[in-house]
Amino acid sequence: MAHDSPGRTNDFALKIGTVNGTGSASANGMLMQAFFRMGIPVSGKNIFPSNIQGLPTWYEIRVNGEGHTARTPHFDLTVAMNRETYAKDIAEIESGGWVLYDSTWPMDEGLLREDVNFLPIPFAKLCVENFEGARTRILMTNIAYVGALVALLDIDKDVVKGMLHETFAKKQHLLDSNELALKLGHDYALEHFDCPLPIRVEAMDLREESVILNGNLGAALGCLYAGATVGAWYPITPATSLMDSFTALCERYRKDPETGRNRYCILQAEDELAAIGMVIGASWCGARSFTPTSGAGISLMNEFIGLAYYTEVPAVLFDVQRTGPSTGMPTRTQQGDFFEVVYASHGDTKHIALFPGDPAECFYFAVEAFDLAERFQTPVFVVSDLDIGMNDWVVPKLHWDDGYVPDRGKVLSAEDLEKVQDFHRYLDLDGDHIPYRTLPGTSPKGAFFTRGSGHDKYGRYTEDAYPYQEVVDRLAKKIDSAAARVPAPEIRRVEGGSSMGIVTVGGCRGAVLEALEDLAADGVKLDYLRVCGFPFGKEVDDFLAAHDVNFVVEQNRDAQLLRLLTLETSTTKDRLRSVRYYGGLPMSAFHVRDGIQAHLLHAEA
Amino acid sequence: MAHDSPGRTNDFALKIGTVNGTGSASANGMLMQAFFRMGIPVSGKNIFPSNIQGLPTWYEIRVNGEGHTARTPHFDLTVAMNRETYAKDIAEIESGGWVLYDSTWPMDEGLLREDVNFLPIPFAKLCVENFEGARTRILMTNIAYVGALVALLDIDKDVVKGMLHETFAKKQHLLDSNELALKLGHDYALEHFDCPLPIRVEAMDLREESVILNGNLGAALGCLYAGATVGAWYPITPATSLMDSFTALCERYRKDPETGRNRYCILQAEDELAAIGMVIGASWCGARSFTPTSGAGISLMNEFIGLAYYTEVPAVLFDVQRTGPSTGMPTRTQQGDFFEVVYASHGDTKHIALFPGDPAECFYFAVEAFDLAERFQTPVFVVSDLDIGMNDWVVPKLHWDDGYVPDRGKVLSAEDLEKVQDFHRYLDLDGDHIPYRTLPGTSPKGAFFTRGSGHDKYGRYTEDAYPYQEVVDRLAKKIDSAAARVPAPEIRRVEGGSSMGIVTVGGCRGAVLEALEDLAADGVKLDYLRVCGFPFGKEVDDFLAAHDVNFVVEQNRDAQLLRLLTLETSTTKDRLRSVRYYGGLPMSAFHVRDGIQAHLLHAEA
Amino acid sequence: MSPTVKPKVRHPSLQPNALGLTRRDYEGAVSTLCAGCGHDSVTAAVIQAFWELEIPPHRAAKLSGIGCSSKTPTYFMSESHGFNSVHGRMPSIATGANAANRDLIYIGISGDGDSLSIGLGQLCHAIRRNVNMLYVLENNGVYGLTKGQFSASADLGSKSKRGKENPFYPIDPVSLALSLGATFVARSFSGDKAQLVPIMKAGLRHGGFALIDVISPCVTFNDHEGSTKSYAHTRFHQNEVVETDFVPLRAEITAEQEAGSATVVTMHDGSVVTLRTTAEGYDPTDRDAAYAHVRAAQGRGEIPTGLLYIETGHQEMHQFENTVDGPLVDVPFDALCPGAEALDALQREWR
Amino acid sequence: MSPTVKPKVRHPSLQPNALGLTRRDYEGAVSTLCAGCGHDSVTAAVIQAFWELEIPPHRAAKLSGIGCSSKTPTYFMSESHGFNSVHGRMPSIATGANAANRDLIYIGISGDGDSLSIGLGQLCHAIRRNVNMLYVLENNGVYGLTKGQFSASADLGSKSKRGKENPFYPIDPVSLALSLGATFVARSFSGDKAQLVPIMKAGLRHGGFALIDVISPCVTFNDHEGSTKSYAHTRFHQNEVVETDFVPLRAEITAEQEAGSATVVTMHDGSVVTLRTTAEGYDPTDRDAAYAHVRAAQGRGEIPTGLLYIETGHQEMHQFENTVDGPLVDVPFDALCPGAEALDALQREWR
Ligand SMILES: Cc1ncc(C[n+]2csc(CCOP(=O)(O)OP(=O)(O)O)c2C)c(N)n1
Ligand SMILES: Cc1ncc(C[n+]2csc(CCOP(=O)(O)OP(=O)(O)O)c2C)c(N)n1
Ligand code: SF4
Ligand code: SF4
Ligand SMILES: [Mg+2]
Ligand SMILES: [Mg+2]
């Protein structure tokens, strides 16, 4: 029997290997929620296949009292419920770790490891003995391993029971079977192993101010609160759940109380070209409108994005990134669309983009996106990814200011039009590079012709060099001026500051912050900046200039953020060093630390 | 009567203002050809509206004995045949210049200028007196102004007559009327003005080694000679004439002599998405296949381009650029698609691109493109523009080496497959980052599955980080390795070299070379480099490094070439200065010189 | 020589409608199309129809894709918002616009290239959603603006200007729309304003997607001998199957008397359309019968025209989507945003 | 618990065909679809059809878009080149591939989302070009791979798993194809292999675009009560209008005897298809009659199946394009490149 690793409370990672379509997802979610309800920082990552049923799938849970809940590739315990992946799952366990598996079937000798502890429990057998029906038995197996973990990890049993009661409040028989399954696993573990294991949990008080949220729900909520009324989309993983969430929220909050009719219109388009077309049409008419999609969708929307940019029609697009190129790995995460997004479409274009770092920011930035799109009359992208969008994160409770007034931008009402001599669509009257627009139906005076072909500042068709240039030159200034309005970067300076900085974006946040602590422990102190919006503002420029070396941490092959910083700030190239991981799994502190240490060694050498 | 400008032989520019759809195009082409046949360097630029009939259109001819035939914005003579544009046309004439106009209708006093010479000829009246039928009269007016110019500019009358004879060899009555019209204009001019004017032509001997060619015809010819068999397209200005030319060439050279059947297949697709899909399908089956389009088409092809990149299927795309963004100005030129092309599609991608500088290079680079696409098994873009593609240029006679053997790349035949143990699509067996491929139908052993979803080096589906990364990492190296194989840049160093360089691309060539001479005359000496391919090779890198200052001359708003050089070479940013013109007309030496002088002044200041 | 300046499409009478607006008030910029282009006649019919229906121009929105046909919205109703979008994608823009503001009157102008090649998918799905709009397909069998390539509506064997025969089976917007469940399907001819105007009026009052396939000859590239989309060919082969008479709500309705051989259809705003068929037993409210008749006629080389099929009592997009009455753009923000308290309540469920 | 490992689609007999290949040789990778998915049955039928036709696997090319259905080419004929392309765009890839090499046998597999939403335009135009291929549309009324949204083929009123009713008029591939001039239009059911296999064989031998709309239930998202694409519903409402019997060239032809009530069609390779109709006076070679019958039946809630329409003597893409016999990829380079002399001659015209 292998050595136990030294006791670690509220600091471990476990991985559950099952088969998709067998209902393990809800059991795993319950487990994650249990840790949350005990007030302990936790994260759950669903590593699932691009398929509906019958293939291996994993759920990773990391518990960390310090709040480091970025993904870690090092697991202390695995719940091996899928014989297909035993080999892989067992191999991945840290030395001294534990393997909880279904011993109904004997474990192949060859898979046993000297340095890990095997915890056999005949889950299938127990469930066959105690339940009727194939489907039920499979479902109960999931609850049974939860029960075992409750004992092994010292999870508060009442918390778990409480959740079962909430879930099956109205279904007594289901409640009974679930409680039984829980008990079966729990008691078996207690009897056969000395519980709890050295890796265990202890209640904390985090829960009060936080919630469990996934980014797509956060973004959908943002659309709801921003007052978006028209959503158009075409299903695509990992963006689908954004519109599913928006639909659910609208059904709950957007029905006319008297008539039961909808104060929203969700259009499932025939493809992404149609989806963005619908958004442009709705925005042109004055509605706050959006479309959620992923990389392939952005590619298809390229032509329309250029139209909205040039005709100055607002539009909000959510790019929930997945691993590219092409279809790539639809159920894996990546940050590979930065270039595709900010320079989308042919000709000279540049677009505003926001980069949420967690599901809470998906909420806040979604609201921002509508204000910016209408203020600057241009497409605005909210760029998240599969990890942020689809995984459950523990985030600070969301806040909403009832004083919020949507910024509808420079739109002239019929009354405003009365006051003006005559209306010209593309004149820069205020010197802010932003013209006034009118909505269809307002008044005869407000009428103008929107065209993607060459036009002058009066909105008239033109093929003449100067009038054409006047307009596109203003467009360039307009977008650049948004740098001052996009969300400011998150900046953290070490005591006394450092000559080295680390720059990152989006979901890398947690891994980078964790790595910074580790590095600090090794005596490497770095200032930190996380980019939140594009075009980059002055703070980003100053930060890069203030550090001789800036490590740019991101999740793509081609260092797209580093390249954007090169082009869109005044930094010199020699200050930038790239740290990347792009295998499709969320960034981990290990990748960040290793990447930076490699650079440092290289520098010394 | 204004002063005459000092006599200038073989050095002037004239502009003909007419109405489109009135047949002036052929008359103007004839005029341009006349100068060519007299052996004088000449260029003709067609400035036409995005419309079929009834709008103002211009034809600009520049005659220059030194061979400077880039567009010039300064005109010595205008043939004002369109009263709609009299004001504009007359205003644009250089002081001391000439205005030849149709005096059938009195010229509005207000338009007269003291400092230019007006040459009234009642063209319409003459034609009404001498010809029957409205259409004929309009057509003959065009020939009549050619006749007048023959007298005024001292064009060799026999040359023009010769052309008429060739054109109307089989149509005696047309020949007669054309000759009469020519005579009417010619004699009237002789009688009423002292001919020739100080701006006149004198025969030279350029003709022998050169031809008149437009880039779309050149590119089509390249496709024909490269052995392309499948062309798929969707009509779009200014790319349409490329496929029209390919069709005409195939009808002439690609009919099976016995059966009269086609050794080619041209598919007019339902849109650009289908066009590129057809190209990918045909290339996948082993045909050399291509599609011509413009910016909007590239935008629509984005998703498919990523598929071809990731699955490593060859494809040749011609982007005949027009003024963007969006529909922009379809009949104006620009170089605005560089970013759209080289980073097309979502996820991490990078593409090979060739940048012809004139119609002759369109021919040579088209052939190159097929070799590169099949060698590197990836999409290759030939990026020209409306000016190169649709205007008639005088270029050196094209040469063809009958020893040319197409580079079909690493394709395994049935025999090859016999020899190998087993075949895996994406293995890098030769360490050149290029795997072997097989064509459908070859042999059971050669079968493999092409997929845009995640795959490992064996071609198997994968969702695992490492096997996925292995493949995309190789892809990055593969494309970078093409830098050594794309056409080398054109480089010209001044005597003893200079600390300053000028870097340009495509059709800016002529304007830049002319500007260099002017600048040299002012004592500013610059080395010259014209980028011809992407990824950039070592010569580009070295050139930038060897010059403290590099002026980057291009035709787009956002300095796209400069930005590409920043990202894709080792240059520091501070060495690059941008010189741009992007109003939709071809680049002129004046823009280049002014741009550079502005920088120099600014530097002194 | 001077450009063929075509006067703004003019009308004899400057008589005002009930809004006090003359036809002139429904005109737009001067057409830049070729002299004689069928599209200019369609523009004239649009102006006439809107004027007769007394629609305030600013309450209408005109949309189009790209093409000579798609340029025409510039040539009518300068007091309406217009959107000349991208090639083949106008239906999606119109769908989104309508979703946001259902109270405007939408007219989309497209061409056969715009609608049947690059835009075919969007057209079919707009039909499927029954988006409330008038969709005018100016059908000339060629891509005019790109200089005369065959379009997908070019008939089998129709000759190009260079004498090339089109080898492909055409996509016929009328049979296509009928098979897809379109609720208003008509065909007309740019040269027959008397027929076109009432159909347009009916289409504008139809509570759903109204498709009019208008044969609109391209004089420059497809009006020659051998073309089946030329003026001559269309005049000779067109066969009015259904005569349409539109009686707006205001006019006292004489439908009853009219009935009998005629079909009387009451539009959702109360206007009445009377359809008199010239073909034995033709029923413009029987989809599959209409389809059969049209196909048979076309098989004989005829071009059946008129309001060929109309369905009432159908649902349109907003009914499918169960949206509130009135434009979504007019719903006040506080009726859209649940507010801070609701957010707290909601979040209690997330712990 | 272990993943539901489905054995490679197995067949009782391992009897070899004339090529000495057993059905096993026509199989592919193990299916990763849900247990019971209709698509797996279609895969089995494909294997059977190719095996019976004795087509050397490497002479076939299998293409698809994206979706559960589009995954299936991985599950048959591992010795054929396969192309799992992008969503909705397989028709264009197949068109280009066929243009380059007309001698391969092309089978395209798609879904209702892939073909009727994002890919509708490409499907229609592939039909219009009559590209020589078998196009199998695995129709389940939902987007399976994205977890069950309604597709454009979902019937009016069909209920989603959550009980939501589909408000839209469906796009019916069969009526659509008939109205677009498709030369081979069939509908079948994944649960009826006996019917499916001969139709597939006929489709593979058809010298043009052969469309088979196969109702292929999605057990996970659309096989519940209230769905009109469930096994139960399809079994109950399917109505075989045309029985198909395929006799390959080699077999001595007994057509004559068979004739009479049956329609005998000789394919371009000489094989014979015998169509026996169960519906009074149904003529599978009369396009518009077939259309009328299908619409009427569907109006009654029936699902007419069988090889509903076939046209011979039509032209396919290569005839439209007048290309040489044999694959363009086999034309030697010197027959393609005019060479230096021709270039000089040509350039003399450019001066
Ligand atoms: C994406 C894209 N592809 C191609 C074009 C070029 N284009 C402009 S109009 C047109 C065809 C127009 O034909 P149709 O819709 O029939 O209009 P018509 O000119 O015949 O009235 C094309 C292909 C374009 N503008 N955009
Ligand atoms: C451009 C693009 N948009 C969206 C998707 C997501 N997607 C994958 S499959 C699919 C629908 C598949 O439905 P169907 O064709 O009916 O196949 P089924 O799964 O039902 O067999 C969608 C929308 C995608 N892969 N690519
Ligand atoms: S080209 Fe044809 S369609 Fe276009 S304006 Fe001229 S006549 Fe009309
Ligand atoms: S989800 Fe539906 S379509 Fe997809 S594999 Fe499962 S059963 Fe088949
Ligand atoms: Mg047309
Ligand atoms: Mg489906």
Side-chain angles (χ1 to χ4, degrees), chain B residues 247-271:
Chain B
T247 309
L249 290 167
C250 285
E251 278 165 0
R252 180 164 172 183
Y253 297 104
R254 286 279 189 85
K255 293 267 182 196
D256 180 298
E258 281 88 56
T259 64
R261 307 265 292 280
N262 301 340
R263 290 173 175 158
Y264 63 93
C265 183
I266 295 170
L267 299 162
Q268 183 181 313
E270 56 270 33
D271 62 17

Short mmCIF file of all heavy atoms in Angstrom, two decimals, chain B residues 247-271:
data_model
loop_
_atom_site.label_atom_id
_atom_site.label_comp_id
_atom_site.label_asym_id
_atom_site.label_seq_id
_atom_site.Cartn_x
_atom_site.Cartn_y
_atom_site.Cartn_z
N THR B 247 -12.18 31.63 -69.86
CA THR B 247 -13.15 30.94 -70.71
C THR B 247 -12.76 31.07 -72.18
O THR B 247 -12.68 30.08 -72.91
CB THR B 247 -14.56 31.53 -70.49
OG1 THR B 247 -14.85 31.56 -69.10
CG2 THR B 247 -15.61 30.72 -71.23
N ALA B 248 -12.48 32.30 -72.58
CA ALA B 248 -12.11 32.53 -73.97
C ALA B 248 -10.86 31.74 -74.33
O ALA B 248 -10.80 31.09 -75.39
CB ALA B 248 -11.88 34.02 -74.20
N LEU B 249 -9.87 31.75 -73.46
CA LEU B 249 -8.63 31.02 -73.74
C LEU B 249 -8.88 29.51 -73.83
O LEU B 249 -8.37 28.84 -74.73
CB LEU B 249 -7.60 31.30 -72.64
CG LEU B 249 -7.02 32.72 -72.61
CD1 LEU B 249 -6.28 32.97 -71.30
CD2 LEU B 249 -6.11 32.93 -73.81
N CYS B 250 -9.72 29.01 -72.94
CA CYS B 250 -10.01 27.56 -72.96
C CYS B 250 -10.74 27.17 -74.24
O CYS B 250 -10.46 26.14 -74.85
CB CYS B 250 -10.82 27.16 -71.74
SG CYS B 250 -9.85 27.09 -70.23
N GLU B 251 -11.69 28.04 -74.65
CA GLU B 251 -12.43 27.70 -75.87
C GLU B 251 -11.46 27.63 -77.05
O GLU B 251 -11.66 26.87 -77.99
CB GLU B 251 -13.52 28.75 -76.12
CG GLU B 251 -14.76 28.47 -75.28
CD GLU B 251 -15.73 29.65 -75.20
OE1 GLU B 251 -15.44 30.70 -75.80
OE2 GLU B 251 -16.76 29.51 -74.51
N ARG B 252 -10.39 28.35 -76.93
CA ARG B 252 -9.43 28.38 -78.04
C ARG B 252 -8.37 27.28 -77.92
O ARG B 252 -7.98 26.68 -78.94
CB ARG B 252 -8.76 29.75 -78.06
CG ARG B 252 -7.74 29.95 -79.14
CD ARG B 252 -7.47 31.43 -79.29
NE ARG B 252 -6.35 31.70 -80.17
CZ ARG B 252 -5.89 32.92 -80.42
NH1 ARG B 252 -6.48 33.97 -79.85
NH2 ARG B 252 -4.87 33.11 -81.23
N TYR B 253 -7.93 26.99 -76.72
CA TYR B 253 -6.79 26.07 -76.55
C TYR B 253 -7.12 24.76 -75.85
O TYR B 253 -6.27 23.89 -75.75
CB TYR B 253 -5.67 26.76 -75.77
CG TYR B 253 -5.09 27.96 -76.45
CD1 TYR B 253 -5.41 29.25 -76.05
CD2 TYR B 253 -4.19 27.80 -77.53
CE1 TYR B 253 -4.87 30.36 -76.68
CE2 TYR B 253 -3.63 28.91 -78.16
CZ TYR B 253 -3.98 30.19 -77.73
OH TYR B 253 -3.44 31.28 -78.36
N ARG B 254 -8.32 24.62 -75.36
CA ARG B 254 -8.60 23.45 -74.54
C ARG B 254 -9.73 22.58 -75.06
O ARG B 254 -10.38 21.88 -74.29
CB ARG B 254 -8.92 23.90 -73.11
CG ARG B 254 -7.72 24.36 -72.31
CD ARG B 254 -6.95 23.20 -71.75
NE ARG B 254 -5.94 23.65 -70.81
CZ ARG B 254 -6.17 23.88 -69.52
NH1 ARG B 254 -7.37 23.70 -69.02
NH2 ARG B 254 -5.20 24.30 -68.72
N LYS B 255 -10.00 22.67 -76.36
CA LYS B 255 -11.01 21.79 -76.94
C LYS B 255 -10.31 20.55 -77.46
O LYS B 255 -9.26 20.65 -78.10
CB LYS B 255 -11.72 22.50 -78.10
CG LYS B 255 -12.55 23.69 -77.67
CD LYS B 255 -13.98 23.27 -77.42
CE LYS B 255 -14.82 24.49 -77.03
NZ LYS B 255 -16.10 24.06 -76.42
N ASP B 256 -10.87 19.40 -77.19
CA ASP B 256 -10.30 18.19 -77.76
C ASP B 256 -10.47 18.27 -79.28
O ASP B 256 -11.60 18.43 -79.77
CB ASP B 256 -11.04 16.96 -77.22
CG ASP B 256 -10.49 15.66 -77.79
OD1 ASP B 256 -10.56 15.47 -79.02
OD2 ASP B 256 -9.98 14.85 -77.00
N PRO B 257 -9.36 18.21 -80.02
CA PRO B 257 -9.45 18.41 -81.48
C PRO B 257 -10.45 17.46 -82.14
O PRO B 257 -11.23 17.87 -82.99
CB PRO B 257 -8.02 18.18 -81.97
CG PRO B 257 -7.26 17.61 -80.83
CD PRO B 257 -7.99 17.95 -79.57
N GLU B 258 -10.45 16.19 -81.72
CA GLU B 258 -11.41 15.26 -82.35
C GLU B 258 -12.84 15.59 -81.94
O GLU B 258 -13.68 15.92 -82.77
CB GLU B 258 -11.11 13.80 -81.96
CG GLU B 258 -9.96 13.16 -82.71
CD GLU B 258 -8.64 13.43 -82.01
OE1 GLU B 258 -8.54 13.08 -80.82
OE2 GLU B 258 -7.74 14.05 -82.62
N THR B 259 -13.08 15.50 -80.64
CA THR B 259 -14.47 15.55 -80.18
C THR B 259 -15.03 16.95 -79.96
O THR B 259 -16.24 17.14 -79.84
CB THR B 259 -14.58 14.83 -78.82
OG1 THR B 259 -13.79 15.59 -77.88
CG2 THR B 259 -14.01 13.42 -78.91
N GLY B 260 -14.13 17.93 -79.89
CA GLY B 260 -14.60 19.28 -79.61
C GLY B 260 -15.05 19.45 -78.15
O GLY B 260 -15.62 20.46 -77.77
N ARG B 261 -14.77 18.43 -77.36
CA ARG B 261 -15.17 18.49 -75.94
C ARG B 261 -14.13 19.25 -75.13
O ARG B 261 -12.98 19.42 -75.56
CB ARG B 261 -15.36 17.07 -75.40
CG ARG B 261 -16.29 16.21 -76.25
CD ARG B 261 -17.70 16.22 -75.72
NE ARG B 261 -17.77 15.53 -74.45
CZ ARG B 261 -17.81 14.20 -74.33
NH1 ARG B 261 -17.78 13.44 -75.41
NH2 ARG B 261 -17.90 13.64 -73.15
N ASN B 262 -14.56 19.68 -73.94
CA ASN B 262 -13.71 20.56 -73.14
C ASN B 262 -12.73 19.83 -72.22
O ASN B 262 -13.13 18.91 -71.51
CB ASN B 262 -14.58 21.48 -72.28
CG ASN B 262 -15.50 22.33 -73.12
OD1 ASN B 262 -15.25 22.52 -74.32
ND2 ASN B 262 -16.56 22.83 -72.52
N ARG B 263 -11.51 20.28 -72.23
CA ARG B 263 -10.52 19.77 -71.28
C ARG B 263 -10.46 20.70 -70.07
O ARG B 263 -9.40 20.96 -69.52
CB ARG B 263 -9.15 19.69 -71.95
CG ARG B 263 -9.06 18.61 -73.01
CD ARG B 263 -7.76 18.68 -73.75
NE ARG B 263 -7.63 17.57 -74.69
CZ ARG B 263 -6.83 17.59 -75.75
NH1 ARG B 263 -6.10 18.66 -75.99
NH2 ARG B 263 -6.78 16.56 -76.55
N TYR B 264 -11.59 21.20 -69.73
CA TYR B 264 -11.69 22.11 -68.58
C TYR B 264 -13.14 22.12 -68.14
O TYR B 264 -14.02 21.69 -68.90
CB TYR B 264 -11.26 23.53 -68.99
CG TYR B 264 -12.16 24.14 -70.04
CD1 TYR B 264 -13.24 24.94 -69.68
CD2 TYR B 264 -11.94 23.87 -71.39
CE1 TYR B 264 -14.08 25.48 -70.66
CE2 TYR B 264 -12.78 24.41 -72.37
CZ TYR B 264 -13.84 25.21 -72.00
OH TYR B 264 -14.67 25.73 -72.97
N CYS B 265 -13.38 22.59 -66.96
CA CYS B 265 -14.75 22.72 -66.47
C CYS B 265 -14.85 24.02 -65.68
O CYS B 265 -14.18 24.18 -64.65
CB CYS B 265 -15.12 21.52 -65.59
SG CYS B 265 -16.83 21.57 -65.03
N ILE B 266 -15.63 24.95 -66.21
CA ILE B 266 -15.80 26.23 -65.53
C ILE B 266 -17.18 26.27 -64.91
O ILE B 266 -18.19 26.13 -65.59
CB ILE B 266 -15.63 27.40 -66.52
CG1 ILE B 266 -14.20 27.42 -67.05
CG2 ILE B 266 -15.97 28.73 -65.84
CD1 ILE B 266 -13.98 28.37 -68.20
N LEU B 267 -17.21 26.40 -63.61
CA LEU B 267 -18.47 26.37 -62.89
C LEU B 267 -18.84 27.75 -62.39
O LEU B 267 -18.13 28.33 -61.56
CB LEU B 267 -18.36 25.41 -61.71
CG LEU B 267 -18.05 23.95 -62.08
CD1 LEU B 267 -17.52 23.18 -60.87
CD2 LEU B 267 -19.29 23.27 -62.65
N GLN B 268 -19.93 28.30 -62.92
CA GLN B 268 -20.44 29.55 -62.36
C GLN B 268 -21.26 29.16 -61.13
O GLN B 268 -22.35 28.62 -61.25
CB GLN B 268 -21.30 30.31 -63.37
CG GLN B 268 -21.78 31.66 -62.83
CD GLN B 268 -22.67 32.42 -63.80
OE1 GLN B 268 -22.35 32.55 -64.98
NE2 GLN B 268 -23.79 32.92 -63.30
N ALA B 269 -20.69 29.41 -59.98
CA ALA B 269 -21.30 28.97 -58.73
C ALA B 269 -22.46 29.88 -58.35
O ALA B 269 -22.65 30.94 -58.94
CB ALA B 269 -20.27 28.94 -57.63
N GLU B 270 -23.22 29.46 -57.34
CA GLU B 270 -24.35 30.27 -56.87
C GLU B 270 -23.89 31.40 -55.96
O GLU B 270 -24.62 32.36 -55.72
CB GLU B 270 -25.39 29.41 -56.16
CG GLU B 270 -24.85 28.59 -54.99
CD GLU B 270 -24.34 27.22 -55.42
OE1 GLU B 270 -23.82 27.08 -56.55
OE2 GLU B 270 -24.47 26.27 -54.61
N ASP B 271 -22.69 31.30 -55.43
CA ASP B 271 -22.12 32.38 -54.63
C ASP B 271 -20.65 32.03 -54.36
O ASP B 271 -20.17 30.98 -54.79
CB ASP B 271 -22.89 32.65 -53.34
CG ASP B 271 -22.90 31.44 -52.38
OD1 ASP B 271 -22.06 30.54 -52.55
OD2 ASP B 271 -23.76 31.42 -51.48
#
